[in-house]
Amino acid sequence: MAAANPVIKIAALSGSIRKASFNSGLIRSAIEVSKESVNGVQIEQIDISQLPILNTDLIVDGAFPPAVEEFRQQILKADSVLFASPENNYSVSAPLKNALDWASIAQNCWGDKAAAIVSAGGGFGGGRSQYHLRQIGVYLDLHFINKPEFFLNAFEPPAKFDGDGNLIDAEAKDRLKQVLIALRDFTLRLKN
């Protein structure tokens, strides 16, 4: 009898720390969709709002601040990463860049992990932030899925999110499901 595929542990990070963030809404929806219709994945949303601004003076005798150490351990335990990346000035948000940097200090916690990016915003739906995150990921040794891409114009009718930042668009949820399936399958390929 063949062994069943293991459960893929996905660390999910939103680059927005705003309460009703559309990008955080994508993460919440990914968790919901995965429980309903994507077998073999377990998504844990990782809060990056409590990370101090990167300052290596805070590393004392080789020990990271407690919030940073906890974050680093969560990334190390994950098999892959789902980023929800808002776009700020054609790039990734400051909170997300800070998280990327804290977890890259030796030992690089991101190394050799599969990853996917989703984003919501105006215009191109956060697409430029995704391309910049992919560039950063080269140095971090992250392996991003190439397809499907997920950019969501959050302001184009019909409404994509409710007033609390929860994704309500059925088509977007289906596209999100396809991203999760591709991330699961790519993670399994990398692990084998």
Side-chain angles (χ1 to χ4, degrees):
M1 184 166 159
N5 284 336
V7 172
I8 299 301
K9 295 179 183 169
I10 302 173
L13 284 74
S14 173
S16 176
I17 57 176
R18 186 174 65 86
K19 187 181 274 187
S21 158
F22 296 149
N23 285 280
S24 295
L26 291 177
I27 296 294
R28 289 190 302 275
S29 188
I31 292 168
E32 175 186 306
V33 166
S34 72
K35 289 177 180 176
E36 293 172 357
S37 60
V38 182
N39 294 326
V41 299
Q42 177 183 354
I43 302 175
E44 179 184 2
Q45 185 169 5
I46 309 296
D47 180 13
I48 63 172
S49 67
Q50 301 305 307
L51 295 175
I53 297 295
L54 180 68
N55 176 354
T56 55
D57 289 344
L58 299 175
I59 304 170
V60 180
D61 296 326
F64 291 94
V68 173
E69 183 59 33
E70 180 182 352
F71 170 68
R72 289 172 55 84
Q73 290 304 314
Q74 290 172 308
I75 300 304
L76 282 170
K77 291 175 186 172
D79 298 307
S80 57
V81 186
L82 174 65
F83 294 100
S85 184
E87 184 176 315
N88 296 151
N89 300 317
Y90 285 17
S91 187
V92 297
S93 67
L96 182 54
K97 182 64 168 73
N98 188 54
L100 290 164
D101 291 344
W102 269 121
S104 71
I105 298 171
Q107 157 193 6
N108 175 19
C109 302
W110 307 109
D112 212 27
K113 292 189 188 297
I117 314 168
V118 296
S119 61
F124 188 24
R128 287 175 290 248
S129 74
Q130 289 197 27
Y131 294 141
H132 197 188
L133 181 52
R134 285 176 179 276
Q135 289 177 312
I136 295 166
V138 170
Y139 183 77
L140 299 178
D141 197 26
L142 282 164
H143 307 292
F144 288 101
I145 64 169
N146 291 319
K147 302 261 187 218
E149 293 182 305
F150 186 103
F151 314 107
L152 182 61
N153 184 328
F155 305 105
E156 184 177 70
K160 308 293 189 282
F161 296 89
D162 66 17
D164 294 322
N166 296 308
L167 185 63
I168 58 173
D169 184 82
E171 180 184 339
K173 285 185 180 186
D174 186 60
R175 290 175 47 219
L176 191 56
K177 175 183 173 182
Q178 299 311 311
V179 169
L180 294 175
I181 290 169
L183 178 59
R184 177 200 63 199
D185 294 350
F186 187 51
T187 303
L188 287 170
R189 281 183 24 220
L190 281 181
K191 289 175 84 59
N192 292 329

